[in-house]
Amino acid sequence: MTGSDPSARQQHLAALLSRVALGDTAAFEALYRSTSAHLLGLILRIQPDRALAEDVLQEVYVNIWRAAQSFNPALSQASTWLNSVARNRAIDSLRRRQADVATVSHVTHGDDDEETDMLSAMPSNDPGPLDLLEQASSAMALQGCMDNLSRDQRQSIALAYYQGLSHNEVADQLRQPLGTVKSWVRRGLQSLKNCLERASLALS
Amino acid sequence: MDYSRPELADRLAAEYVLGTLRGPARRRFDTLLPAHPTLRAAVLDWQRRVDALSVSVPEVTPSPQVWPRIRARVMGATVQPVVRWWQRLVLWQAAAGMAAVAALSLAIVLQMPTPQPPPIVVVLAAQPDAAQGGIQPVSFVAGVAPDGRSLVVKPLDAQQARFVNRALELWAVPPKGAPRSLGLIAAEGSTTVQRALALKDTAAFAVSVEPPGGSPTGAPTGPIISVGALQL
């Protein structure tokens, strides 16, 4: 599926999922071909080890195969459902990860070797979380609502979403107290929610 | 904690979806989800909101060995094809008159301002031969949208349509050549098949019994339990 019409793509994915729910293997393969590169991209943001990320991807599709019946097109878009399965699995794969894990966007002027090691674990030319947030902010679904957030709020949310960091990890990264970071995340999300709700009211 | 409190449900759902809810709290949330409609609704709302962030994430094509591993996990043993049953299609067409094989065009006679082209209804008659293999023959009715883009298939006698560890696959049979799979259909209840041009070059529809996951070869492998000729 290479069509550029987003709603046609959603319908296509939903139709594939409904056939997967019946155990249709041809539909399952078509779904994999159509969505796996995007899901692996999402997983790699959270689980940067390529081999582990591909293990997660495998689990994700086995999960999709088994849970396709629970997808309800009246409640969510097909791609949102698929992305959520992938991110959930990727976050679960981090359970044993150390809380003080370093990330590429954390550019310190300390140990050079450490920086090199961290970079080798990530895809090359990987954009940082704030770059990605910037690019996503123009997405129609966000209605310009990201602009209402403070820079600290945006940065905390970007690190959590695009880097898979926990509150503790975001606090370490930004060198801020945990409570401060928690409140940035909470208020940032609340502001996003309020803005999106206002925007959808204005449309209706 | 009282998870039915909307504000708490909303805050936890937001952290769950963003990914900052971790460890035992995340696992507890996972186990609570199935039983708490308020939490589930809040999670769906947050997934919808936050998902817009995913658009900018660069795609990464998985290594070629990932798909075979997934396929092996979900589809156990494959079954070799045995019969090329569609070669007997000519016989079915000859027998169409005697069986309850009927293709009807139903004109919608409702007084509509703009007349709609009528849907095409095909009855797929149960094939008694299939019973020899210990399989219960089932009749289906198929309604095809006039543009051939979608098709609704439903068993006529749902209560007897039970196929344990078997899948039912729907085929569009052309006048010449091999049938095309239109995908798997449910043995009970109706299935909507979205497939462009289901009618194009189609002489009949047929339902075969296949291993779970559908025909491993792309051609029907199991007994045909139901056939209906298409007369436009």
Side-chain angles (χ1 to χ4, degrees), chain A residues 19 23-25 33 37-38 50 54 58-59 80 83-84 87-88 132 161-162 164 186 189 193, chain B residues 10-11 16-17 22 26-27 46-47 49 51 53-54 56 60-61 63 67 69 73 183-184 195 213:
Chain A
R19 285 168 59 200
D24 189 328
T25 55
R33 302 282 168 223
H38 179 64
R50 177 70 186 244
E54 292 198 335
Q58 186 181 326
E59 291 304 319
T80 302
N83 293 345
S84 302
R87 294 195 77 248
N88 248 337
L132 293 177
Y161 185 85
Y162 293 113
R186 185 155 72 237
L189 288 172
K193 177 185 173 182
Chain B
D10 192 66
R11 187 163 64 77
Y16 176 80
V17 171
R22 290 294 172 85
R26 187 174 191 87
R27 290 195 285 280
W46 277 109
Q47 283 172 346
R49 291 176 196 126
D51 193 53
L53 297 178
S54 73
S56 58
V60 181
T61 305
S63 321
W67 170 247
R69 293 206 304 253
R73 289 266 305 272
L184 298 188
R195 184 54 78 92

Side-chain angles (χ1 to χ4, degrees), chain A residues 103-104 106-108 111-120:
Chain A
T103 61
V104 165
H106 185 176
V107 180
T108 60
D111 189 346
D112 278 352
D113 290 343
E114 197 184 37
E115 288 300 324
T116 313
D117 286 344
M118 286 186 293
L119 281 167
S120 67

Side-chain angles (χ1 to χ4, degrees), chain B:
Chain B
M1 274 199 274
D2 179 7
Y3 291 98
S4 61
R5 267 176 48 213
E7 317 85 70
L8 179 62
D10 192 66
R11 187 163 64 77
L12 286 171
E15 293 188 7
Y16 176 80
V17 171
L18 186 66
T20 48
L21 193 69
R22 290 294 172 85
R26 187 174 191 87
R27 290 195 285 280
R28 195 160 57 243
F29 193 89
D30 268 325
T31 55
L32 284 168
L33 263 182
H36 286 74
T38 322
L39 283 186
R40 273 208 312 281
V43 165
L44 285 172
D45 282 342
W46 277 109
Q47 283 172 346
R48 183 167 40 74
R49 291 176 196 126
V50 169
D51 193 53
L53 297 178
S54 73
V55 297
S56 58
V57 172
E59 296 195 341
V60 181
T61 305
S63 321
Q65 65 267 27
V66 177
W67 170 247
R69 293 206 304 253
I70 294 169
R71 195 179 48 199
R73 289 266 305 272
V74 304
M75 310 170 196
T78 55
V79 176
Q80 293 307 309
V82 188
V83 209
R84 295 187 172 264
W85 57 272
W86 66 87
Q87 287 151 356
R88 292 175 307 194
L89 175 67
V90 181
L91 291 177
W92 302 341
Q93 283 173 327
M98 68 164 221
V101 177
L104 315 167
S105 274
L106 292 189
I108 298 178
V109 285
L110 299 172
Q111 294 181 345
M112 291 181 175
T114 356
Q116 299 281 317
I120 299 148
V121 176
V122 183
V123 177
L124 284 70
Q127 300 293 294
D129 286 357
Q132 290 166 7
I135 289 164
Q136 177 72 61
V138 186
S139 297
F140 288 83
V141 61
V144 189
D147 61 3
R149 286 180 179 277
S150 68
L151 171 100
V152 179
V153 196
K154 194 178 170 184
L156 283 176
D157 24 24
Q159 67 281 10
Q160 53 172 276
R162 298 209 176 273
F163 296 89
V164 179
N165 290 326
R166 285 282 177 274
L168 297 181
E169 193 153 356
L170 180 69
W171 303 89
V173 188
K176 280 183 187 172
R180 287 171 292 136
S181 173
L182 294 176
L184 298 188
I185 58 171
E188 292 171 65
S190 61
T191 306
T192 302
V193 180
Q194 297 277 353
R195 184 54 78 92
L197 304 175
L199 291 185
K200 189 171 184 291
D201 203 23
T202 296
F205 291 108
V207 177
S208 70
V209 179
E210 300 292 337
S215 163
T217 63
T221 62
I224 304 306
I225 56 165
S226 193
V227 179
L230 182 68
Q231 291 159 12
L232 291 174

